[in-house]
Amino acid sequence: MSIHIDHISKSYGKVNALDDISIQVDPGELFGLIGPDGAGKTTLFRILTTLLLPDHGSASVAGYDIIADFKAIRKQVGYMPGRFSLYQDLTVEENLRFFATIFGTTIAENYDLIRDIYVQIEPFKNRRAGKLSGGMKQKLALSCALIHKPKVLFLDEPTTGVDPVSRKEFWEMLKRLQAKGITILVSTPYMDEAALCDRIALIQDGRILEIDTPKAIVEHYPKPIFDVGAHNTYLLIEKLNAYVHKHSVFPFGEYIHYTDQRDGFDPLELRAYLKNEGLQNIHIERTKATIEDTFMELAKQ
Amino acid sequence: MKRFIGFVQKEFYHIFRDRRSLFILFGMPVAQIMLFGFAITNEINNVDIAILDRSQDASTKEIISKISSSEYFSILQHIKEEAEIEEVFKKGRVKAVLYFEKEFSKKLIKQHTAKVQIVTDATDPNVANTISNYINSILSHYQEEQNRAITQDYQIIPQSRMVYNAELKSVYMFVPGVMTVILMLVSAMMTSISITREKELGTMEILLVSPLNPVQVIIGKVFPYIFLSIINAAAIVILSIFVFHVPVKGSLFLLGLESVLFIVTSLALGILISTISATQQTAMMISLMGLMLPVILLSGFIFPISSMPVPLQVISNIVPAKWFIIIVKGIMLKGVGIHIVWKETLVLLGMTLLFIGLSVRKYKIRLE
């Protein structure tokens, strides 16, 4: 149950939301679309779930063409839009029952699939969906998207606005669903979640920057990266940016990620420069590239 | 079928959990019919009038006593000068002044004609008109009695008689109108709002990505409102029969069928509105401005169509409510059957099919 995306383009007026996108998602894969807001992720989801027509190109989901066989696709896929899109005035159980009914099934029939997720919100099953917390809303939305045993699951930014603990739980659930043979396409603006996918596509301004496994993507990072720290981070960023040989400077956690233009870069030289500029407690250490570094590097080009 | 039942059940949850829509659905019909029945009325009862009698003779005294003994008028004061007329109107209580000329009785006997002037406060033209009609009829009664006494030949006395609503009860006129307004409001506005709500909250996105086809979604959305509108129509008819004693002279069954037809017309309009509006607010504005105003102003509910300028008369033909009001008035007040109102019924049916056709064509199976 794979997804083929073949040279898809879509524009709204003059804005190119998607520009010649081609992605191949294998059956049973957990595939991530990683990119900032406005990169075109939602547009791609809507095209694949047959809600929008592409301007150019073609795509198929689970073997069905998104234009000709849109009705077949609508029976096969589960879709969780980025915005919470359940009935706020219905209770948890009523929402779930409604979605089961319109897909011609019952909660009992597919309870196995959603059990892990649903047990966590079942104590609140008589609460109106609008009164749930962010994390519980996501779990309910996922339950509703899964209740008809879809072969392909589309999750558009499922963890946006969800607390870190719930986010972690959510990804564990995705892993379990993947183990049940469901192909999952998930988008997220969080780079740390990218590492949890089998493969990811980095996307920005409607273009694919790179598609690969998270591991390969960070290994492809072309330059050595250094963590740089000092007593005054603000001054440090300012001085690093002013350094003639700098290639890139990004704040990353408590340190600054720094790369140099030169091949034979000597950290001691940088230390001397920074000391000269009045910085104290200078710390420079070689580190590994992250997906975020790669993204920033690719986005620059 | 299970899907359909599930969908309809969900719609009922929405309706019963939203106080606003509950109020519009059930509070409005009762409030409107009570308002129109009791408060907004063209009937006159115990209207205060003033008398300016320059003759003070037998004839005028008899006329005045006839007027004051009728239940429609009570004489608030007698004035002496013409100049006082404006003064009493300005105070506001007096709605009409009856002004008898000098030597009324003498003139009436000798010249067979005497003048009495009816001055009415026309700030409310409908009431003024009614008052003047009532006084005229009392005067002509008097004249008739006098003529009988003096036996004059070839007197033509025009006699007007109000038929169908002989007592001129305005509630008779309002019931068909209110029924039309309510059915239109409930059916068109509520469905258009409930469909656009799904668009606004993003749930339409999920409904589209489901095996439900558009026709199922629309029928599921519309069905509860058909049901509730029928209840409303029945409630209005029951209220008018038992509270206002409006007779239903024709067949209740036919009235019911015609109401269902009009409900479907309104629902089709509601669906059409929902296909062209993206938010609940737009849907509500279009329903109110585009439907309610024509229904109230152009359907013959409040203003008779025959007294409108010709262009408006032409436009009134495309207002479905106009045809429904004709049908309801026919069945309720005149007791006519389908052989009389079939033309109006066909017009309504044609409009309904047109609206349904248009909304099916305009309904989007995708987001754009």
Side-chain angles (χ1 to χ4, degrees), chain A residues 10 46 49-53 67 70 74 79 83 85 87 89-90 94 98-99 101-104 128, chain B residues 2-3 10 13-14 17 198 200-203 205-212 365-368:
Chain A
K10 173 84 187 172
R46 287 181 169 170
T49 50
T50 74
L51 286 171
L52 288 179
L53 292 172
I67 299 164
F70 75 94
R74 291 179 180 187
Y79 173 43
R83 200 159 48 121
S85 301
Y87 297 101
D89 53 343
L90 262 54
E94 284 161 356
F98 171 70
F99 285 103
T101 317
I102 64 169
F103 278 95
R128 303 256 168 108
Chain B
K2 254 190 188 164
R3 282 179 194 173
K10 180 207 76 146
Y13 284 146
H14 287 324
R17 283 175 192 180
E198 301 248 5
E200 216 176 313
L201 295 178
T203 44
E205 221 171 307
I206 300 193
L207 289 184
L208 283 173
V209 189
S210 82
L212 288 178
I365 53 164
R366 294 191 168 85
L367 280 182
E368 325 175 277

Side-chain angles (χ1 to χ4, degrees), chain B residues 56-205:
Chain B
Q56 310 259 14
D57 55 30
S59 304
T60 62
K61 276 188 181 140
E62 202 179 334
I63 292 174
I64 291 167
S65 88
K66 269 185 180 298
I67 287 174
S68 70
S69 65
S70 88
E71 56 181 310
Y72 307 118
F73 302 103
S74 63
I75 294 164
L76 189 74
Q77 64 184 117
H78 291 266
I79 51 177
K80 301 250 155 43
E81 296 297 324
E82 218 177 316
E84 285 177 79
I85 294 178
E86 206 179 337
E87 210 174 297
V88 294
F89 277 133
K90 276 188 176 160
K91 282 186 189 149
R93 278 191 67 184
V94 168
K95 297 289 176 216
V97 175
L98 217 56
Y99 177 10
F100 296 95
E101 64 174 342
K102 273 182 186 160
E103 300 177 324
F104 188 89
S105 205
K106 208 188 270 176
K107 279 182 185 165
L108 195 64
I109 292 163
K110 283 193 174 164
Q111 302 166 12
H112 300 296
T113 163
K115 283 183 188 147
V116 53
Q117 201 176 9
I118 307 163
V119 190
T120 50
D121 173 2
T123 43
D124 186 339
N126 287 332
V127 173
N129 203 11
T130 319
I131 291 175
S132 130
N133 283 340
Y134 277 40
I135 294 180
N136 265 322
S137 104
I138 292 172
L139 288 174
S140 63
H141 248 276
Y142 173 75
Q143 200 182 337
E144 209 179 314
E145 283 170 21
Q146 296 302 307
N147 289 343
R148 221 176 284 147
I150 57 171
T151 57
Q152 242 188 343
D153 293 336
Y154 304 115
Q155 276 246 352
I156 297 168
I157 301 159
Q159 194 178 38
S160 58
R161 191 166 67 91
M162 301 287 181
V163 284
Y164 306 128
N165 185 5
E167 294 156 87
L168 279 180
K169 288 215 166 168
S170 53
V171 67
Y172 286 16
M173 310 314 294
F174 283 129
V175 165
V178 169
M179 192 152 139
T180 313
V181 171
I182 303 268
L183 293 185
M184 196 63 150
L185 183 79
V186 168
S187 312
M189 190 163 96
M190 300 301 281
T191 32
S192 64
I193 288 179
S194 94
I195 295 177
T196 42
R197 181 165 52 196
E198 301 248 5
K199 284 194 204 173
E200 216 176 313
L201 295 178
T203 44
M204 194 52 107
E205 221 171 307

Side-chain angles (χ1 to χ4, degrees), chain A residues 65-103:
Chain A
D65 184 78
I66 53 156
I67 299 164
D69 308 322
F70 75 94
K71 282 187 180 161
I73 291 182
R74 291 179 180 187
K75 288 185 183 128
Q76 303 284 346
V77 303
Y79 173 43
M80 186 172 152
R83 200 159 48 121
F84 179 68
S85 301
L86 298 177
Y87 297 101
Q88 317 244 1
D89 53 343
L90 262 54
T91 65
V92 168
E93 197 180 17
E94 284 161 356
N95 264 299
L96 193 60
R97 200 186 317 128
F98 171 70
F99 285 103
T101 317
I102 64 169
F103 278 95

Side-chain angles (χ1 to χ4, degrees), chain B residues 228-275:
Chain B
L228 295 171
S229 303
I230 291 175
I231 294 182
N232 264 326
I236 293 171
V237 172
I238 291 170
L239 267 181
S240 14
I241 293 175
F242 291 102
V243 179
F244 298 106
H245 310 290
V246 178
V248 179
K249 292 193 174 153
S251 138
L252 263 179
F253 180 70
L254 181 62
L255 186 63
L257 281 186
E258 297 280 3
S259 304
V260 171
L261 174 62
F262 183 66
I263 289 168
V264 176
T265 317
S266 313
L267 290 173
L269 259 177
I271 298 168
L272 195 59
I273 291 173
S274 74
T275 61

Side-chain angles (χ1 to χ4, degrees), chain B residues 304-321:
Chain B
I305 291 173
S306 55
S307 56
M308 287 177 195
V310 178
L312 286 184
Q313 287 194 29
V314 174
I315 292 173
S316 75
N317 286 326
I318 59 166
V319 179

Side-chain angles (χ1 to χ4, degrees), chain A residues 98 101, chain B residues 1-12 220:
Chain A
F98 171 70
T101 317
Chain B
M1 198 59 203
K2 254 190 188 164
R3 282 179 194 173
F4 178 71
I5 293 171
F7 202 98
V8 170
Q9 191 185 20
K10 180 207 76 146
E11 285 306 311
F12 274 113

Side-chain angles (χ1 to χ4, degrees), chain A residues 189-228:
Chain A
Y190 301 121
M191 303 290 169
D192 57 327
E193 291 181 345
L196 302 165
C197 300
D198 294 338
R199 282 194 308 148
I200 54 174
L202 302 181
I203 178 170
Q204 194 190 33
D205 295 334
R207 285 177 304 113
I208 299 278
L209 302 174
E210 191 162 0
I211 301 177
D212 214 325
T213 61
K215 208 173 155 204
I217 281 185
V218 294
E219 277 168 4
H220 290 163
Y221 193 80
K223 287 178 178 296
I225 291 193
F226 294 87
D227 272 342
V228 184

